[in-house]
């Protein structure tokens, strides 16, 4: 699998992160899944379920991201890295955890562990789409508010 195709799932951050809001996240995630689910499913299937191959895929992917950061101007590198990490946490990991391929959730955990091994001061936690989507707060200037009646969970 071409690493550039895999990295595009994270490097196209501005198109998706600008839509990481309570109202737009579900549609943005659906579009993201339609575009990148087949790519990641095929990449994980190519490993034939071998843990060493899954680890190698994660390392190959992370190396591709790091090369992209090195190509950035010095003052822009940390910003790009933060955005791409948010893409991994908010879009890629929930996608992998939700795919029907049984190796994808395992790969999500391996990717998280390999990230933490590579950058120990910058780890992240995995979360499913439902957990992320339910975590948006209803607040105005930091003051918690009631969600609109049509968006409340209670009957």
């Amino acid at each position: 699998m071409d690493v550039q195709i895999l990295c595009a799932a994270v490097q196209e951050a501005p198109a998706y992160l600008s839509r990481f809001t309570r109202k737009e996240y579900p549609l943005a995630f659906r579009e993201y899944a339609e575009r990148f689910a087949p790519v990641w499913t095929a990449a994980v299937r190519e490993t034939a379920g071998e843990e060493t191959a899954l680890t190698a895929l994660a390392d190959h992917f992370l190396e591709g991201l790091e090369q992209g950061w090195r190509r950035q101007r010095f003052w822009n590198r940390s910003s790009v890295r933060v955005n791409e990490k948010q893409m991994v946490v908010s879009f890629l990991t929930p996608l992998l955890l939700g795919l029907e391929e049984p190796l994808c959730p395992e790969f999500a955990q391996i990717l998280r562990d390999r990230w933490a091994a590579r950058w120990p001061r910058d780890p992240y936690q995995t979360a499913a789409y439902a957990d992320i989507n339910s975590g948006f707060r209803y607040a105005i200037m930091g003051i918690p508010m009631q969600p609109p009646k049509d968006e409340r969970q209670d009957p």
Side-chain angles (χ1 to χ4, degrees):
M1 178 61 60
D2 183 21
V3 73
Q4 293 303 329
I5 295 170
L6 298 176
C7 288
V10 173
Q11 291 172 336
E12 296 180 8
Y16 294 100
L17 289 182
S18 64
R19 299 170 61 196
F20 188 66
T21 64
R22 178 178 48 85
K23 289 185 178 183
E24 293 186 43
Y25 181 59
L27 180 60
F29 185 79
R30 192 173 322 119
E31 290 171 5
Y32 180 84
E34 288 171 2
R35 180 165 177 204
F36 293 110
V39 172
W40 279 100
T41 302
V44 170
R45 281 187 182 151
E46 284 180 14
T47 65
E50 298 177 23
E51 187 169 340
T52 57
L54 287 172
T55 302
L57 177 63
D59 288 338
H60 194 58
F61 171 69
L62 294 175
E63 181 62 34
L65 289 181
E66 191 171 19
Q67 286 176 0
W69 300 337
R70 283 190 222 123
R71 285 191 296 266
Q72 298 293 320
R73 294 194 169 127
F74 179 74
W75 59 86
N76 195 30
R77 285 181 191 164
S78 60
S79 173
V80 170
R81 182 175 171 172
V82 167
N83 286 341
E84 291 183 1
K85 180 183 176 186
Q86 185 176 355
M87 282 297 295
V88 169
V89 171
S90 305
F91 286 90
L92 179 60
T93 299
L95 172 72
L96 292 170
L97 292 174
L99 289 176
E100 293 179 11
E101 172 64 41
L103 295 172
C104 287
E106 181 181 343
F107 177 73
Q109 302 305 323
I110 290 171
L111 181 61
R112 181 202 61 205
D113 295 343
R114 297 306 298 164
W115 179 290
R118 197 176 195 115
W119 301 292
R121 292 184 171 186
D122 193 24
Y124 69 89
Q125 297 297 316
T126 58
Y129 166 77
D131 295 333
I132 293 173
N133 193 38
S134 66
F136 289 103
R137 292 182 10 183
Y138 293 90
I140 296 175
M141 297 176 61
I143 301 169
M145 307 298 281
Q146 275 276 357
K149 287 183 181 182
D150 59 336
E151 293 184 21
R152 290 187 190 150
Q153 299 295 329
D154 53 22

